[in-house]
mmCIF file of all heavy atoms in Angstrom:
data_model
loop_
_atom_site.group_PDB
_atom_site.id
_atom_site.type_symbol
_atom_site.label_atom_id
_atom_site.label_comp_id
_atom_site.label_asym_id
_atom_site.label_seq_id
_atom_site.Cartn_x
_atom_site.Cartn_y
_atom_site.Cartn_z
ATOM 1 N N LEU A 376 62.218 -3.464 43.783
ATOM 2 C CA LEU A 376 61.070 -3.344 42.894
ATOM 3 C C LEU A 376 60.155 -2.178 43.260
ATOM 4 O O LEU A 376 59.630 -1.497 42.369
ATOM 5 C CB LEU A 376 60.258 -4.650 42.908
ATOM 6 C CG LEU A 376 60.961 -5.899 42.348
ATOM 7 C CD1 LEU A 376 60.054 -7.108 42.489
ATOM 8 C CD2 LEU A 376 61.351 -5.686 40.894
ATOM 9 N N ARG A 377 59.977 -1.937 44.581
ATOM 10 C CA ARG A 377 58.963 -0.974 44.991
ATOM 11 C C ARG A 377 59.486 0.126 45.913
ATOM 12 O O ARG A 377 58.738 1.031 46.277
ATOM 13 C CB ARG A 377 57.803 -1.706 45.672
ATOM 14 C CG ARG A 377 57.110 -2.722 44.750
ATOM 15 C CD ARG A 377 55.958 -3.411 45.449
ATOM 16 N NE ARG A 377 54.985 -2.455 45.938
ATOM 17 C CZ ARG A 377 53.977 -2.763 46.759
ATOM 18 N NH1 ARG A 377 53.837 -4.023 47.180
ATOM 19 N NH2 ARG A 377 53.133 -1.843 47.156
ATOM 20 N N GLY A 378 60.745 0.033 46.327
ATOM 21 C CA GLY A 378 61.338 1.088 47.130
ATOM 22 C C GLY A 378 61.270 0.832 48.623
ATOM 23 O O GLY A 378 60.539 -0.048 49.097
ATOM 24 N N PRO A 379 62.030 1.624 49.412
ATOM 25 C CA PRO A 379 62.115 1.399 50.867
ATOM 26 C C PRO A 379 60.798 1.612 51.603
ATOM 27 O O PRO A 379 60.564 0.990 52.630
ATOM 28 C CB PRO A 379 63.175 2.408 51.321
ATOM 29 C CG PRO A 379 63.267 3.417 50.229
ATOM 30 C CD PRO A 379 62.942 2.695 48.971
ATOM 31 N N GLU A 380 59.918 2.500 51.121
ATOM 32 C CA GLU A 380 58.648 2.728 51.803
ATOM 33 C C GLU A 380 57.775 1.471 51.784
ATOM 34 O O GLU A 380 57.066 1.180 52.752
ATOM 35 C CB GLU A 380 57.893 3.891 51.155
ATOM 36 C CG GLU A 380 58.482 5.263 51.454
ATOM 37 C CD GLU A 380 58.291 5.681 52.907
ATOM 38 O OE1 GLU A 380 57.329 5.207 53.538
ATOM 39 O OE2 GLU A 380 59.117 6.474 53.409
ATOM 40 N N ALA A 381 57.844 0.709 50.672
ATOM 41 C CA ALA A 381 57.076 -0.537 50.584
ATOM 42 C C ALA A 381 57.603 -1.558 51.582
ATOM 43 O O ALA A 381 56.823 -2.300 52.191
ATOM 44 C CB ALA A 381 57.138 -1.099 49.169
ATOM 45 N N VAL A 382 58.929 -1.600 51.766
ATOM 46 C CA VAL A 382 59.511 -2.514 52.747
ATOM 47 C C VAL A 382 59.106 -2.101 54.159
ATOM 48 O O VAL A 382 58.777 -2.937 55.004
ATOM 49 C CB VAL A 382 61.054 -2.555 52.620
ATOM 50 C CG1 VAL A 382 61.646 -3.527 53.642
ATOM 51 C CG2 VAL A 382 61.467 -2.949 51.216
ATOM 52 N N ALA A 383 59.125 -0.795 54.428
ATOM 53 C CA ALA A 383 58.715 -0.298 55.740
ATOM 54 C C ALA A 383 57.270 -0.685 56.036
ATOM 55 O O ALA A 383 56.935 -1.072 57.169
ATOM 56 C CB ALA A 383 58.883 1.217 55.808
ATOM 57 N N LYS A 384 56.408 -0.598 55.035
ATOM 58 C CA LYS A 384 55.007 -0.989 55.201
ATOM 59 C C LYS A 384 54.900 -2.483 55.490
ATOM 60 O O LYS A 384 54.090 -2.911 56.332
ATOM 61 C CB LYS A 384 54.222 -0.639 53.933
ATOM 62 C CG LYS A 384 52.736 -0.991 53.991
ATOM 63 C CD LYS A 384 52.002 -0.209 55.065
ATOM 64 C CE LYS A 384 50.511 -0.499 55.042
ATOM 65 N NZ LYS A 384 49.804 0.172 56.157
ATOM 66 N N TYR A 385 55.731 -3.289 54.819
ATOM 67 C CA TYR A 385 55.733 -4.739 55.044
ATOM 68 C C TYR A 385 56.142 -5.050 56.486
ATOM 69 O O TYR A 385 55.522 -5.885 57.157
ATOM 70 C CB TYR A 385 56.693 -5.405 54.057
ATOM 71 C CG TYR A 385 56.723 -6.914 54.117
ATOM 72 C CD1 TYR A 385 55.880 -7.674 53.308
ATOM 73 C CD2 TYR A 385 57.601 -7.584 54.964
ATOM 74 C CE1 TYR A 385 55.910 -9.064 53.346
ATOM 75 C CE2 TYR A 385 57.637 -8.966 55.019
ATOM 76 C CZ TYR A 385 56.789 -9.702 54.200
ATOM 77 O OH TYR A 385 56.829 -11.077 54.250
ATOM 78 N N ILE A 386 57.199 -4.363 56.969
ATOM 79 C CA ILE A 386 57.649 -4.580 58.348
ATOM 80 C C ILE A 386 56.582 -4.109 59.327
ATOM 81 O O ILE A 386 56.337 -4.743 60.359
ATOM 82 C CB ILE A 386 58.991 -3.855 58.590
ATOM 83 C CG1 ILE A 386 60.081 -4.446 57.694
ATOM 84 C CG2 ILE A 386 59.398 -3.970 60.057
ATOM 85 C CD1 ILE A 386 61.393 -3.680 57.756
ATOM 86 N N HIS A 387 55.935 -2.981 59.016
ATOM 87 C CA HIS A 387 54.854 -2.475 59.865
ATOM 88 C C HIS A 387 53.750 -3.517 60.000
ATOM 89 O O HIS A 387 53.262 -3.795 61.109
ATOM 90 C CB HIS A 387 54.294 -1.183 59.264
ATOM 91 C CG HIS A 387 53.165 -0.583 60.035
ATOM 92 N ND1 HIS A 387 51.845 -1.013 59.908
ATOM 93 C CD2 HIS A 387 53.141 0.417 60.962
ATOM 94 C CE1 HIS A 387 51.084 -0.322 60.704
ATOM 95 N NE2 HIS A 387 51.826 0.556 61.359
ATOM 96 N N ASN A 388 53.358 -4.136 58.893
ATOM 97 C CA ASN A 388 52.311 -5.161 58.929
ATOM 98 C C ASN A 388 52.775 -6.394 59.698
ATOM 99 O O ASN A 388 51.978 -7.032 60.396
ATOM 100 C CB ASN A 388 51.912 -5.556 57.509
ATOM 101 C CG ASN A 388 51.119 -4.468 56.813
ATOM 102 O OD1 ASN A 388 50.566 -3.590 57.454
ATOM 103 N ND2 ASN A 388 51.080 -4.519 55.492
ATOM 104 N N THR A 389 54.056 -6.732 59.558
ATOM 105 C CA THR A 389 54.608 -7.867 60.307
ATOM 106 C C THR A 389 54.441 -7.651 61.797
ATOM 107 O O THR A 389 54.033 -8.549 62.540
ATOM 108 C CB THR A 389 56.103 -8.054 59.970
ATOM 109 O OG1 THR A 389 56.258 -8.288 58.570
ATOM 110 C CG2 THR A 389 56.698 -9.227 60.737
ATOM 111 N N LEU A 390 54.754 -6.435 62.257
ATOM 112 C CA LEU A 390 54.606 -6.108 63.671
ATOM 113 C C LEU A 390 53.133 -6.051 64.068
ATOM 114 O O LEU A 390 52.724 -6.615 65.095
ATOM 115 C CB LEU A 390 55.270 -4.758 63.955
ATOM 116 C CG LEU A 390 56.795 -4.692 63.810
ATOM 117 C CD1 LEU A 390 57.258 -3.248 63.703
ATOM 118 C CD2 LEU A 390 57.480 -5.370 64.983
ATOM 119 N N LYS A 391 52.330 -5.385 63.270
ATOM 120 C CA LYS A 391 50.924 -5.165 63.600
ATOM 121 C C LYS A 391 50.144 -6.469 63.700
ATOM 122 O O LYS A 391 49.243 -6.610 64.533
ATOM 123 C CB LYS A 391 50.280 -4.250 62.560
ATOM 124 C CG LYS A 391 48.820 -3.897 62.838
ATOM 125 C CD LYS A 391 48.269 -2.949 61.784
ATOM 126 C CE LYS A 391 46.830 -2.559 62.119
ATOM 127 N NZ LYS A 391 45.897 -3.701 62.100
#
Side-chain angles (χ1 to χ4, degrees):
L376 295 178
R377 299 181 57 190
E380 287 290 334
V382 181
K384 180 63 176 175
Y385 184 91
I386 297 173
H387 179 278
N388 288 341
T389 301
L390 293 163
K391 183 178 183 296

